[in-house]
Amino acid sequence: LNLHVQNMQDTTSIVIGLIVATDQQARETVQESFADEVVLDYSSMTGNPAVNLSPQDVVTAWKGVLPGFQHTHHQIGNLLESVDGDRVKVFCYGTATHYLEDEKGNVWTVVGSYDFDLKQQEDQSWKISSMTFHFKYQDGNTELPQKAIQNLQ
C-alpha cells in the first residue's frame, strides 16, 4: 500500500510540475516530464486529431505560441488518481489564462479538464505518456493566440 501511495504522490508531483514548468517556460523540466513518446490530444478544443510526439516536439510546439504572451497562468485542481499496475491515470480540472495587451481585450481564458496517463519507466520513474484536454469553454479575446504567434515571428 505504501508503494502505491508513494507512486501516486510522485505522479501528482509530475503533473503539477509540468503545469508550473509550462508557465515558467522551463523547457527542460517540461521535456523531462514526458515519456519518449507522448499522445497529445487537444481535439475537443481544436478539432485536430491527437498526435504522437516526442518530448522535444511538445516543447517545440508550445514554444511556438506560449512565449508570445506576456503572461500565462495554468491552474489545475481536484486531482484524482487511479493505479493500474505500471500505469497511473490522473484526472484534474484546468484553467489556462493568457495575458497579452490588446485593444480588443488583454485576456484569453480556456477552461476544461485533463486526463494524464503516466507510465512507470525501467528506472522506476514516472513519465507522462498521454495528455488529453477536455474543452469546456473559453472566454475573452480569442484572437490573442494568433497575436502571440505573430509576436514570435
Side-chain angles (χ1 to χ4, degrees), residues 4 20 65 87 99 105 108-109 149:
H4 288 286
V20 171
V65 64
R87 296 184 183 273
Y99 180 86
W108 171 54
T109 302
I149 292 168

Side-chain angles (χ1 to χ4, degrees), residues 3-153:
L3 177 62
H4 288 286
V5 170
Q6 181 62 43
N7 287 345
M8 287 172 50
Q9 289 172 345
D10 289 347
T11 56
T12 299
S13 295
I14 291 165
V15 170
I16 292 168
L18 169 68
I19 299 301
V20 171
T22 298
D23 285 333
Q24 293 177 344
Q25 297 182 33
R27 294 181 181 113
E28 187 173 314
T29 302
V30 169
Q31 191 168 324
E32 290 172 357
S33 301
F34 290 113
D36 290 341
E37 184 175 88
V38 60
V39 177
L40 199 61
D41 186 352
Y42 288 97
S43 60
S44 66
M45 184 171 140
T46 66
N48 297 325
V51 291
N52 294 320
L53 300 172
S54 72
Q56 181 57 46
D57 291 339
V58 174
V59 168
T60 299
W62 289 358
K63 74 179 182 182
V65 64
L66 293 178
F69 292 101
Q70 288 170 279
H71 303 284
T72 62
H73 181 92
H74 292 77
Q75 188 74 44
I76 60 172
N78 301 334
L79 284 87
L80 300 172
E81 299 128 328
S82 61
V83 178
D84 182 15
D86 66 347
R87 296 184 183 273
V88 171
K89 294 186 177 293
V90 177
F91 166 87
C92 62
Y93 291 149
T95 300
T97 304
H98 309 78
Y99 180 86
L100 183 58
E101 289 184 16
D102 185 78
E103 61 278 353
K104 294 180 181 176
N106 301 333
V107 176
W108 171 54
T109 302
V110 179
V111 176
S113 63
Y114 291 96
D115 283 313
F116 292 91
D117 291 332
L118 292 92
K119 187 171 189 322
Q120 194 165 29
Q121 307 298 295
E122 289 183 20
D123 67 359
Q124 303 304 305
S125 67
W126 291 90
K127 302 282 184 174
I128 297 167
S129 59
S130 177
M131 178 179 170
T132 301
F133 180 69
H134 302 282
F135 177 76
K136 291 182 182 174
Y137 64 88
Q138 62 184 337
D139 194 21
N141 185 349
T142 58
E143 295 177 17
L144 288 184
Q146 190 57 41
K147 185 175 180 181
I149 292 168
Q150 290 171 354
N151 284 346
L152 298 173
Q153 295 175 353

